[in-house]
Amino acid sequence: FFGRHALLAGLTLALALFLVDSLFYGRPTLATLNLLLYNVLPSPGAGPDIFGVEDARYYPVNLLLNFGAAFALVLLFPFLIIVDTYVATVWPRRVDSVARAIFLSPAWVWVLVIGSQPHKEERFMAPIYPVIALIAAVTLEDTMRAIFGAIPEDADV
């Protein structure tokens, strides 16, 4: 059921993107596919590598400079999953930890894909800035809940 709906939604979105991209570029094209082919799967002697490369420390250092403590909270999130699974209960129901991990996983996938590319620019991280802030907020709340217990619904916070 979910797979069928996800496939239908993906195909509908791809068709809409194809139509709009083709209209603006004046030829049949899918700009998202071109971006992936150029940046993630470049042909030899072409692609983003010709503009310079950076080592693996580039994104962590820049994200730490840009987000400070919030980036530290982002790095803490996977440990909350481990703590919840093996040490103490952070979330009242197991489904809560799984839902959080699935909901926040696109940021980790983005970092793995973009971070594995030799050519790095700060603007490549910009699409996940809101998700970084969300992960930091969720991690802060969950850490506070793990340390101090659940916050009552009628609390004036």
Side-chain angles (χ1 to χ4, degrees):
F1 177 76
F2 172 76
R4 190 172 53 229
H5 280 84
L7 181 64
L8 181 62
L11 289 174
T12 303
L13 180 61
L15 177 64
L17 288 171
F18 176 77
L19 292 173
V20 171
D21 290 346
S22 298
L23 175 71
F24 280 96
Y25 282 102
R27 59 183 170 82
T29 191
L30 189 58
T32 308
L33 179 62
N34 290 343
L35 179 124
L36 286 173
L37 291 175
Y38 181 81
N39 289 303
V40 180
L41 304 168
S43 57
D49 297 354
I50 62 175
F51 299 109
V53 296
E54 297 287 341
D55 62 7
R57 295 177 299 141
Y58 182 81
Y59 287 133
V61 167
N62 278 301
L63 290 171
L64 185 60
L65 288 171
N66 290 335
F67 284 95
F71 183 62
L73 287 169
V74 169
L75 297 177
L76 179 65
F77 182 77
F79 296 106
L80 278 179
I81 300 279
I82 294 168
V83 166
D84 183 65
T85 304
Y86 297 108
V87 180
T89 302
V90 176
W91 299 287
R93 301 173 307 165
R94 173 72 49 218
V95 70
D96 293 339
S97 63
V98 173
R100 277 179 167 76
I102 290 171
F103 182 71
L104 301 174
S105 64
W108 297 105
V109 171
W110 184 270
V111 168
L112 287 174
V113 170
I114 297 299
S116 67
Q117 304 306 309
H119 177 68
K120 295 174 176 58
E121 293 182 38
E122 185 62 31
R123 65 188 174 106
F124 297 159
M125 283 291 124
I128 64 163
Y129 281 175
V131 182
I132 289 172
L134 176 65
I135 293 172
V138 167
T139 303
L140 180 61
E141 185 211 0
D142 291 342
T143 303
M144 298 301 282
R145 181 181 293 127
I147 293 171
F148 299 110
I151 300 170
E153 293 293 325
D154 59 347
D156 188 25
V157 286

